[in-house]
Amino acid sequence: MPSPKGYKRDEALDRAIELFRRQGYSATSTAELVEELGMNRKSMYAEFGSKQELFEAALDRYSEINLSRVLAPIEEPDANAQTIRHAFVGYASASETKFRGLGCLMANTAVERAALDPGSARYVDAYLERLTKGFRNALENAHLDGEVGSDANLDDLAAHFVNSVVGISALLRAKATPEQMYAAGRGATSMLRET
């Protein structure tokens, strides 16, 4: 009878997420992963395959848990302009937490890995598409509520918000001040009308 694992896969992935988020993919060594995950090298490779496969499993879990929580408001059927404003306040408020200097693992991956690695690019593409759909959803309701001009191109606005999120995430990674973060969020949403 095989002996039980001395670790839980999801807990190991959560620790990998934090290490990759802190250091990036390239700066994270296999030895650091083994130590952080609390398993030996053989067990790590048996469970996850390669470092790349572990990274992709971490991106998958990050998308499932972290992104689903952060993006849920703009994906709700009744999301609107106020939801978009609140989302940007939420992104900016991360600069007042332990996430300052860490950023978003997916946005970090977009900058570090997407152009170099098809596996990472697949996750980044899905992330950008999900952001776009979420903002497009909220913008459609904002348009109906009169909070977006009747001549506004909603696809262009959604792209603007996606670009702004990735930029604000880069600011968060760069340890921008809360004042800079909130100003960036206000600038990103300045074209939304108050009703």
PDB file of all heavy atoms in Angstrom, residues 70 73-74 79-94 135 138 147 161 165 182 185-186 189 192 194:
ATOM      1  N   VAL A  70     -11.522  38.396  -7.867  1.00  0.00           N
ATOM      2  CA  VAL A  70     -11.284  39.804  -8.226  1.00  0.00           C
ATOM      3  C   VAL A  70     -12.184  40.258  -9.378  1.00  0.00           C
ATOM      4  O   VAL A  70     -12.678  41.379  -9.385  1.00  0.00           O
ATOM      5  CB  VAL A  70      -9.791  40.011  -8.579  1.00  0.00           C
ATOM      6  CG1 VAL A  70      -9.535  41.374  -9.177  1.00  0.00           C
ATOM      7  CG2 VAL A  70      -8.927  39.808  -7.342  1.00  0.00           C
ATOM      8  N   PRO A  73     -17.125  40.842  -9.705  1.00  0.00           N
ATOM      9  CA  PRO A  73     -18.055  41.981  -9.796  1.00  0.00           C
ATOM     10  C   PRO A  73     -18.318  42.457 -11.220  1.00  0.00           C
ATOM     11  O   PRO A  73     -19.469  42.730 -11.577  1.00  0.00           O
ATOM     12  CB  PRO A  73     -17.370  43.066  -8.954  1.00  0.00           C
ATOM     13  CG  PRO A  73     -16.544  42.302  -7.972  1.00  0.00           C
ATOM     14  CD  PRO A  73     -16.042  41.107  -8.748  1.00  0.00           C
ATOM     15  N   ILE A  74     -17.283  42.567 -12.061  1.00  0.00           N
ATOM     16  CA  ILE A  74     -17.527  43.060 -13.420  1.00  0.00           C
ATOM     17  C   ILE A  74     -18.151  41.987 -14.309  1.00  0.00           C
ATOM     18  O   ILE A  74     -18.657  42.300 -15.389  1.00  0.00           O
ATOM     19  CB  ILE A  74     -16.260  43.645 -14.087  1.00  0.00           C
ATOM     20  CG1 ILE A  74     -15.174  42.592 -14.269  1.00  0.00           C
ATOM     21  CG2 ILE A  74     -15.761  44.870 -13.347  1.00  0.00           C
ATOM     22  CD1 ILE A  74     -14.002  43.028 -15.138  1.00  0.00           C
ATOM     23  N   ALA A  79     -23.554  44.283 -13.541  1.00  0.00           N
ATOM     24  CA  ALA A  79     -22.392  45.160 -13.419  1.00  0.00           C
ATOM     25  C   ALA A  79     -22.611  46.420 -14.251  1.00  0.00           C
ATOM     26  O   ALA A  79     -23.269  46.384 -15.299  1.00  0.00           O
ATOM     27  CB  ALA A  79     -21.138  44.427 -13.891  1.00  0.00           C
ATOM     28  N   ASN A  80     -22.071  47.545 -13.781  1.00  0.00           N
ATOM     29  CA  ASN A  80     -22.283  48.815 -14.477  1.00  0.00           C
ATOM     30  C   ASN A  80     -21.074  49.731 -14.278  1.00  0.00           C
ATOM     31  O   ASN A  80     -20.018  49.276 -13.850  1.00  0.00           O
ATOM     32  CB  ASN A  80     -23.582  49.470 -13.999  1.00  0.00           C
ATOM     33  CG  ASN A  80     -23.582  49.694 -12.489  1.00  0.00           C
ATOM     34  OD1 ASN A  80     -22.531  49.749 -11.849  1.00  0.00           O
ATOM     35  ND2 ASN A  80     -24.767  49.815 -11.912  1.00  0.00           N
ATOM     36  N   ALA A  81     -21.240  51.014 -14.546  1.00  0.00           N
ATOM     37  CA  ALA A  81     -20.127  51.954 -14.428  1.00  0.00           C
ATOM     38  C   ALA A  81     -19.609  52.023 -12.997  1.00  0.00           C
ATOM     39  O   ALA A  81     -18.390  52.089 -12.769  1.00  0.00           O
ATOM     40  CB  ALA A  81     -20.555  53.336 -14.911  1.00  0.00           C
ATOM     41  N   GLN A  82     -20.517  52.004 -12.038  1.00  0.00           N
ATOM     42  CA  GLN A  82     -20.088  52.055 -10.641  1.00  0.00           C
ATOM     43  C   GLN A  82     -19.260  50.826 -10.285  1.00  0.00           C
ATOM     44  O   GLN A  82     -18.284  50.918  -9.539  1.00  0.00           O
ATOM     45  CB  GLN A  82     -21.312  52.165  -9.712  1.00  0.00           C
ATOM     46  CG  GLN A  82     -20.959  52.500  -8.288  1.00  0.00           C
ATOM     47  CD  GLN A  82     -20.221  53.835  -8.143  1.00  0.00           C
ATOM     48  OE1 GLN A  82     -20.313  54.731  -8.984  1.00  0.00           O
ATOM     49  NE2 GLN A  82     -19.436  53.966  -7.093  1.00  0.00           N
ATOM     50  N   THR A  83     -19.607  49.685 -10.847  1.00  0.00           N
ATOM     51  CA  THR A  83     -18.838  48.456 -10.634  1.00  0.00           C
ATOM     52  C   THR A  83     -17.418  48.629 -11.175  1.00  0.00           C
ATOM     53  O   THR A  83     -16.443  48.197 -10.537  1.00  0.00           O
ATOM     54  CB  THR A  83     -19.514  47.267 -11.340  1.00  0.00           C
ATOM     55  OG1 THR A  83     -20.899  47.229 -10.988  1.00  0.00           O
ATOM     56  CG2 THR A  83     -18.868  45.956 -10.957  1.00  0.00           C
ATOM     57  N   ILE A  84     -17.297  49.246 -12.330  1.00  0.00           N
ATOM     58  CA  ILE A  84     -15.973  49.481 -12.916  1.00  0.00           C
ATOM     59  C   ILE A  84     -15.162  50.414 -12.017  1.00  0.00           C
ATOM     60  O   ILE A  84     -13.995  50.151 -11.728  1.00  0.00           O
ATOM     61  CB  ILE A  84     -16.091  50.061 -14.345  1.00  0.00           C
ATOM     62  CG1 ILE A  84     -16.741  49.032 -15.278  1.00  0.00           C
ATOM     63  CG2 ILE A  84     -14.726  50.486 -14.870  1.00  0.00           C
ATOM     64  CD1 ILE A  84     -17.113  49.575 -16.643  1.00  0.00           C
ATOM     65  N   ARG A  85     -15.795  51.495 -11.540  1.00  0.00           N
ATOM     66  CA  ARG A  85     -15.090  52.413 -10.642  1.00  0.00           C
ATOM     67  C   ARG A  85     -14.613  51.691  -9.389  1.00  0.00           C
ATOM     68  O   ARG A  85     -13.476  51.851  -8.950  1.00  0.00           O
ATOM     69  CB  ARG A  85     -16.000  53.581 -10.256  1.00  0.00           C
ATOM     70  CG  ARG A  85     -16.203  54.593 -11.348  1.00  0.00           C
ATOM     71  CD  ARG A  85     -16.946  55.829 -10.812  1.00  0.00           C
ATOM     72  NE  ARG A  85     -17.556  56.522 -11.894  1.00  0.00           N
ATOM     73  CZ  ARG A  85     -18.815  56.329 -12.331  1.00  0.00           C
ATOM     74  NH1 ARG A  85     -19.603  55.450 -11.747  1.00  0.00           N
ATOM     75  NH2 ARG A  85     -19.274  57.026 -13.348  1.00  0.00           N
ATOM     76  N   HIS A  86     -15.505  50.878  -8.805  1.00  0.00           N
ATOM     77  CA  HIS A  86     -15.152  50.125  -7.590  1.00  0.00           C
ATOM     78  C   HIS A  86     -14.002  49.154  -7.862  1.00  0.00           C
ATOM     79  O   HIS A  86     -13.137  48.957  -7.000  1.00  0.00           O
ATOM     80  CB  HIS A  86     -16.360  49.365  -7.045  1.00  0.00           C
ATOM     81  CG  HIS A  86     -17.332  50.219  -6.302  1.00  0.00           C
ATOM     82  ND1 HIS A  86     -16.982  50.979  -5.207  1.00  0.00           N
ATOM     83  CD2 HIS A  86     -18.654  50.424  -6.490  1.00  0.00           C
ATOM     84  CE1 HIS A  86     -18.043  51.633  -4.764  1.00  0.00           C
ATOM     85  NE2 HIS A  86     -19.069  51.315  -5.525  1.00  0.00           N
ATOM     86  N   ALA A  87     -14.009  48.551  -9.045  1.00  0.00           N
ATOM     87  CA  ALA A  87     -12.930  47.624  -9.395  1.00  0.00           C
ATOM     88  C   ALA A  87     -11.590  48.347  -9.369  1.00  0.00           C
ATOM     89  O   ALA A  87     -10.611  47.847  -8.798  1.00  0.00           O
ATOM     90  CB  ALA A  87     -13.190  47.006 -10.767  1.00  0.00           C
ATOM     91  N   PHE A  88     -11.525  49.542  -9.956  1.00  0.00           N
ATOM     92  CA  PHE A  88     -10.269  50.277  -9.985  1.00  0.00           C
ATOM     93  C   PHE A  88      -9.865  50.783  -8.597  1.00  0.00           C
ATOM     94  O   PHE A  88      -8.671  50.817  -8.278  1.00  0.00           O
ATOM     95  CB  PHE A  88     -10.316  51.404 -11.020  1.00  0.00           C
ATOM     96  CG  PHE A  88     -10.052  50.909 -12.408  1.00  0.00           C
ATOM     97  CD1 PHE A  88     -11.095  50.574 -13.261  1.00  0.00           C
ATOM     98  CD2 PHE A  88      -8.750  50.739 -12.850  1.00  0.00           C
ATOM     99  CE1 PHE A  88     -10.846  50.078 -14.532  1.00  0.00           C
ATOM    100  CE2 PHE A  88      -8.488  50.246 -14.128  1.00  0.00           C
ATOM    101  CZ  PHE A  88      -9.542  49.909 -14.971  1.00  0.00           C
ATOM    102  N   VAL A  89     -10.839  51.128  -7.775  1.00  0.00           N
ATOM    103  CA  VAL A  89     -10.511  51.474  -6.383  1.00  0.00           C
ATOM    104  C   VAL A  89      -9.920  50.246  -5.687  1.00  0.00           C
ATOM    105  O   VAL A  89      -8.940  50.352  -4.943  1.00  0.00           O
ATOM    106  CB  VAL A  89     -11.761  51.993  -5.634  1.00  0.00           C
ATOM    107  CG1 VAL A  89     -11.512  52.071  -4.131  1.00  0.00           C
ATOM    108  CG2 VAL A  89     -12.182  53.352  -6.175  1.00  0.00           C
ATOM    109  N   GLY A  90     -10.490  49.082  -5.953  1.00  0.00           N
ATOM    110  CA  GLY A  90      -9.965  47.844  -5.374  1.00  0.00           C
ATOM    111  C   GLY A  90      -8.547  47.551  -5.821  1.00  0.00           C
ATOM    112  O   GLY A  90      -7.694  47.174  -5.010  1.00  0.00           O
ATOM    113  N   TYR A  91      -8.269  47.732  -7.107  1.00  0.00           N
ATOM    114  CA  TYR A  91      -6.910  47.511  -7.610  1.00  0.00           C
ATOM    115  C   TYR A  91      -5.941  48.482  -6.935  1.00  0.00           C
ATOM    116  O   TYR A  91      -4.844  48.100  -6.528  1.00  0.00           O
ATOM    117  CB  TYR A  91      -6.832  47.688  -9.131  1.00  0.00           C
ATOM    118  CG  TYR A  91      -7.780  46.817  -9.922  1.00  0.00           C
ATOM    119  CD1 TYR A  91      -8.378  47.286 -11.090  1.00  0.00           C
ATOM    120  CD2 TYR A  91      -8.094  45.525  -9.508  1.00  0.00           C
ATOM    121  CE1 TYR A  91      -9.254  46.493 -11.817  1.00  0.00           C
ATOM    122  CE2 TYR A  91      -8.968  44.735 -10.234  1.00  0.00           C
ATOM    123  CZ  TYR A  91      -9.544  45.221 -11.384  1.00  0.00           C
ATOM    124  OH  TYR A  91     -10.414  44.443 -12.102  1.00  0.00           O
ATOM    125  N   ALA A  92      -6.359  49.746  -6.815  1.00  0.00           N
ATOM    126  CA  ALA A  92      -5.493  50.746  -6.188  1.00  0.00           C
ATOM    127  C   ALA A  92      -5.275  50.452  -4.709  1.00  0.00           C
ATOM    128  O   ALA A  92      -4.174  50.620  -4.188  1.00  0.00           O
ATOM    129  CB  ALA A  92      -6.081  52.138  -6.381  1.00  0.00           C
ATOM    130  N   SER A  93      -6.321  49.992  -4.028  1.00  0.00           N
ATOM    131  CA  SER A  93      -6.202  49.743  -2.587  1.00  0.00           C
ATOM    132  C   SER A  93      -5.219  48.618  -2.275  1.00  0.00           C
ATOM    133  O   SER A  93      -4.708  48.537  -1.157  1.00  0.00           O
ATOM    134  CB  SER A  93      -7.572  49.442  -1.973  1.00  0.00           C
ATOM    135  OG  SER A  93      -8.040  48.173  -2.391  1.00  0.00           O
ATOM    136  N   ALA A  94      -4.911  47.781  -3.261  1.00  0.00           N
ATOM    137  CA  ALA A  94      -3.925  46.721  -3.048  1.00  0.00           C
ATOM    138  C   ALA A  94      -2.559  47.299  -2.713  1.00  0.00           C
ATOM    139  O   ALA A  94      -1.722  46.632  -2.098  1.00  0.00           O
ATOM    140  CB  ALA A  94      -3.838  45.833  -4.284  1.00  0.00           C
ATOM    141  N   PHE A 135     -15.320  43.660 -18.640  1.00  0.00           N
ATOM    142  CA  PHE A 135     -15.520  45.098 -18.821  1.00  0.00           C
ATOM    143  C   PHE A 135     -16.578  45.385 -19.877  1.00  0.00           C
ATOM    144  O   PHE A 135     -17.382  46.303 -19.725  1.00  0.00           O
ATOM    145  CB  PHE A 135     -14.198  45.792 -19.171  1.00  0.00           C
ATOM    146  CG  PHE A 135     -13.313  46.008 -17.978  1.00  0.00           C
ATOM    147  CD1 PHE A 135     -12.014  45.535 -17.969  1.00  0.00           C
ATOM    148  CD2 PHE A 135     -13.772  46.690 -16.864  1.00  0.00           C
ATOM    149  CE1 PHE A 135     -11.187  45.735 -16.866  1.00  0.00           C
ATOM    150  CE2 PHE A 135     -12.962  46.901 -15.753  1.00  0.00           C
ATOM    151  CZ  PHE A 135     -11.668  46.415 -15.754  1.00  0.00           C
ATOM    152  N   ALA A 138     -19.968  45.050 -18.204  1.00  0.00           N
ATOM    153  CA  ALA A 138     -20.302  46.201 -17.364  1.00  0.00           C
ATOM    154  C   ALA A 138     -20.579  47.437 -18.216  1.00  0.00           C
ATOM    155  O   ALA A 138     -21.472  48.236 -17.898  1.00  0.00           O
ATOM    156  CB  ALA A 138     -19.169  46.472 -16.376  1.00  0.00           C
ATOM    157  N   GLU A 147     -24.374  56.193 -18.654  1.00  0.00           N
ATOM    158  CA  GLU A 147     -23.092  56.552 -18.035  1.00  0.00           C
ATOM    159  C   GLU A 147     -21.928  56.489 -19.023  1.00  0.00           C
ATOM    160  O   GLU A 147     -20.789  56.770 -18.666  1.00  0.00           O
ATOM    161  CB  GLU A 147     -22.823  55.648 -16.832  1.00  0.00           C
ATOM    162  CG  GLU A 147     -23.814  55.885 -15.699  1.00  0.00           C
ATOM    163  CD  GLU A 147     -23.565  54.979 -14.528  1.00  0.00           C
ATOM    164  OE1 GLU A 147     -23.702  53.748 -14.694  1.00  0.00           O
ATOM    165  OE2 GLU A 147     -23.233  55.492 -13.454  1.00  0.00           O
ATOM    166  N   PHE A 161      -9.791  49.748 -20.555  1.00  0.00           N
ATOM    167  CA  PHE A 161      -9.800  49.288 -19.157  1.00  0.00           C
ATOM    168  C   PHE A 161      -8.858  48.105 -18.946  1.00  0.00           C
ATOM    169  O   PHE A 161      -8.193  48.014 -17.915  1.00  0.00           O
ATOM    170  CB  PHE A 161     -11.221  48.947 -18.710  1.00  0.00           C
ATOM    171  CG  PHE A 161     -12.114  50.149 -18.553  1.00  0.00           C
ATOM    172  CD1 PHE A 161     -13.386  50.163 -19.098  1.00  0.00           C
ATOM    173  CD2 PHE A 161     -11.684  51.271 -17.868  1.00  0.00           C
ATOM    174  CE1 PHE A 161     -14.211  51.266 -18.959  1.00  0.00           C
ATOM    175  CE2 PHE A 161     -12.491  52.396 -17.730  1.00  0.00           C
ATOM    176  CZ  PHE A 161     -13.765  52.385 -18.271  1.00  0.00           C
ATOM    177  N   VAL A 165      -5.778  48.094 -16.359  1.00  0.00           N
ATOM    178  CA  VAL A 165      -5.585  47.094 -15.299  1.00  0.00           C
ATOM    179  C   VAL A 165      -4.161  46.539 -15.337  1.00  0.00           C
ATOM    180  O   VAL A 165      -3.493  46.421 -14.300  1.00  0.00           O
ATOM    181  CB  VAL A 165      -6.617  45.947 -15.411  1.00  0.00           C
ATOM    182  CG1 VAL A 165      -6.225  44.766 -14.534  1.00  0.00           C
ATOM    183  CG2 VAL A 165      -7.999  46.436 -15.039  1.00  0.00           C
ATOM    184  N   TYR A 182      -4.275  55.324  -6.904  1.00  0.00           N
ATOM    185  CA  TYR A 182      -5.639  55.861  -6.954  1.00  0.00           C
ATOM    186  C   TYR A 182      -5.789  56.866  -8.099  1.00  0.00           C
ATOM    187  O   TYR A 182      -6.833  56.896  -8.771  1.00  0.00           O
ATOM    188  CB  TYR A 182      -6.024  56.496  -5.612  1.00  0.00           C
ATOM    189  CG  TYR A 182      -6.315  55.490  -4.536  1.00  0.00           C
ATOM    190  CD1 TYR A 182      -5.435  55.281  -3.489  1.00  0.00           C
ATOM    191  CD2 TYR A 182      -7.479  54.725  -4.563  1.00  0.00           C
ATOM    192  CE1 TYR A 182      -5.689  54.340  -2.491  1.00  0.00           C
ATOM    193  CE2 TYR A 182      -7.746  53.781  -3.579  1.00  0.00           C
ATOM    194  CZ  TYR A 182      -6.850  53.595  -2.545  1.00  0.00           C
ATOM    195  OH  TYR A 182      -7.112  52.666  -1.562  1.00  0.00           O
ATOM    196  N   GLY A 185      -6.250  54.964 -11.265  1.00  0.00           N
ATOM    197  CA  GLY A 185      -7.612  54.428 -11.347  1.00  0.00           C
ATOM    198  C   GLY A 185      -8.629  55.496 -11.723  1.00  0.00           C
ATOM    199  O   GLY A 185      -9.517  55.254 -12.549  1.00  0.00           O
ATOM    200  N   ARG A 186      -8.484  56.682 -11.133  1.00  0.00           N
ATOM    201  CA  ARG A 186      -9.399  57.782 -11.486  1.00  0.00           C
ATOM    202  C   ARG A 186      -9.227  58.173 -12.945  1.00  0.00           C
ATOM    203  O   ARG A 186     -10.213  58.411 -13.653  1.00  0.00           O
ATOM    204  CB  ARG A 186      -9.162  58.989 -10.572  1.00  0.00           C
ATOM    205  CG  ARG A 186      -9.669  58.799  -9.156  1.00  0.00           C
ATOM    206  CD  ARG A 186      -9.648  60.108  -8.368  1.00  0.00           C
ATOM    207  NE  ARG A 186      -8.321  60.712  -8.294  1.00  0.00           N
ATOM    208  CZ  ARG A 186      -7.412  60.423  -7.362  1.00  0.00           C
ATOM    209  NH1 ARG A 186      -7.674  59.532  -6.434  1.00  0.00           N
ATOM    210  NH2 ARG A 186      -6.233  61.045  -7.365  1.00  0.00           N
ATOM    211  N   THR A 189     -10.927  55.703 -15.329  1.00  0.00           N
ATOM    212  CA  THR A 189     -12.388  55.688 -15.361  1.00  0.00           C
ATOM    213  C   THR A 189     -13.003  57.078 -15.587  1.00  0.00           C
ATOM    214  O   THR A 189     -14.201  57.241 -15.477  1.00  0.00           O
ATOM    215  CB  THR A 189     -12.945  55.121 -14.038  1.00  0.00           C
ATOM    216  OG1 THR A 189     -12.474  55.916 -12.943  1.00  0.00           O
ATOM    217  CG2 THR A 189     -12.505  53.675 -13.838  1.00  0.00           C
ATOM    218  N   LEU A 192     -16.252  57.809 -17.653  1.00  0.00           N
ATOM    219  CA  LEU A 192     -17.567  57.316 -17.219  1.00  0.00           C
ATOM    220  C   LEU A 192     -18.339  58.452 -16.571  1.00  0.00           C
ATOM    221  O   LEU A 192     -17.817  59.146 -15.684  1.00  0.00           O
ATOM    222  CB  LEU A 192     -17.404  56.159 -16.223  1.00  0.00           C
ATOM    223  CG  LEU A 192     -16.707  54.917 -16.762  1.00  0.00           C
ATOM    224  CD1 LEU A 192     -16.453  53.924 -15.635  1.00  0.00           C
ATOM    225  CD2 LEU A 192     -17.532  54.265 -17.873  1.00  0.00           C
ATOM    226  N   GLU A 194     -21.290  60.234 -14.281  1.00  0.00           N
ATOM    227  CA  GLU A 194     -22.099  60.006 -13.081  1.00  0.00           C
ATOM    228  C   GLU A 194     -23.553  60.278 -13.443  1.00  0.00           C
ATOM    229  O   GLU A 194     -23.838  61.265 -14.108  1.00  0.00           O
ATOM    230  CB  GLU A 194     -21.671  60.945 -11.950  1.00  0.00           C
ATOM    231  CG  GLU A 194     -20.236  60.784 -11.522  1.00  0.00           C
ATOM    232  CD  GLU A 194     -20.027  59.658 -10.528  1.00  0.00           C
ATOM    233  OE1 GLU A 194     -20.997  59.034 -10.107  1.00  0.00           O
ATOM    234  OE2 GLU A 194     -18.855  59.410 -10.193  1.00  0.00           O
TER     235      GLU A 194
END
